[in-house]
Amino acid sequence: MQWWIWPLGAVSFILFIFVLNKWTRFGEFKIKTLDIIVIPVWVILHFTMGYRFGVSLILWFLLVWFVVGTILSWFLLQSKWHWRLFWHKYWQWSGLIGSLLLLIVTIIGFWHH
């Protein structure tokens, strides 16, 4: 299997969820596209790094992201953010960070291909 199949699958999955949210009654729920794509994007990032570079640094990325989340929670919860709002935003930011890392890994993978 080629390594670039995984990022292509991620883009297809994200577009499918976006279309599902936009054009069906699924969008009436309070679930956004960023709420759904978090775990699949991190799994796809793991497989993409593993197939392309032979090693996955996902655990290190997650460790750094959890440390950032701890610092953010300390500051934002002290500045009167509600804890549910913070964790919802942090979950969505996790999807964005995973997508950004997937984009960076894909660009570097094609660069060194």
Side-chain angles (χ1 to χ4, degrees):
M1 177 185 280
Q2 297 293 326
W3 68 271
W4 49 267
I5 296 293
W6 289 100
L8 186 64
V11 169
S12 301
F13 178 73
I14 291 170
L15 286 176
F16 174 73
I17 295 298
F18 182 74
V19 166
L20 191 69
N21 249 353
K22 199 70 163 171
W23 293 335
T24 63
R25 294 182 58 92
F26 189 69
E28 292 177 3
F29 300 113
K30 298 289 184 194
I31 299 174
K32 305 283 186 215
T33 302
L34 285 176
D35 295 329
I36 299 172
I37 68 167
V38 175
I39 293 175
V41 163
W42 283 98
V43 170
I44 289 170
L45 179 61
H46 171 70
F47 282 116
T48 301
M49 287 184 74
Y51 279 124
R52 177 59 187 107
F53 301 110
V55 65
S56 177
L57 303 174
I58 274 303
L59 293 177
W60 291 106
F61 289 148
L62 284 174
L63 181 66
V64 169
W65 181 239
F66 290 149
V67 169
V68 168
T70 304
I71 294 168
L72 278 174
S73 69
W74 189 68
F75 282 117
L76 293 177
L77 292 176
Q78 283 186 351
S79 64
K80 306 295 187 243
W81 274 42
H82 194 268
W83 64 273
R84 274 192 242 152
L85 174 67
F86 170 75
W87 287 114
H88 185 247
K89 292 295 183 189
Y90 184 71
W91 181 258
Q92 289 180 337
W93 295 337
S94 297
L96 287 174
I97 293 293
S99 299
L100 179 68
L101 287 173
L102 182 62
L103 179 67
I104 290 169
V105 165
T106 303
I107 290 171
I108 290 172
F110 279 124
W111 185 285
H112 290 289
H113 188 62

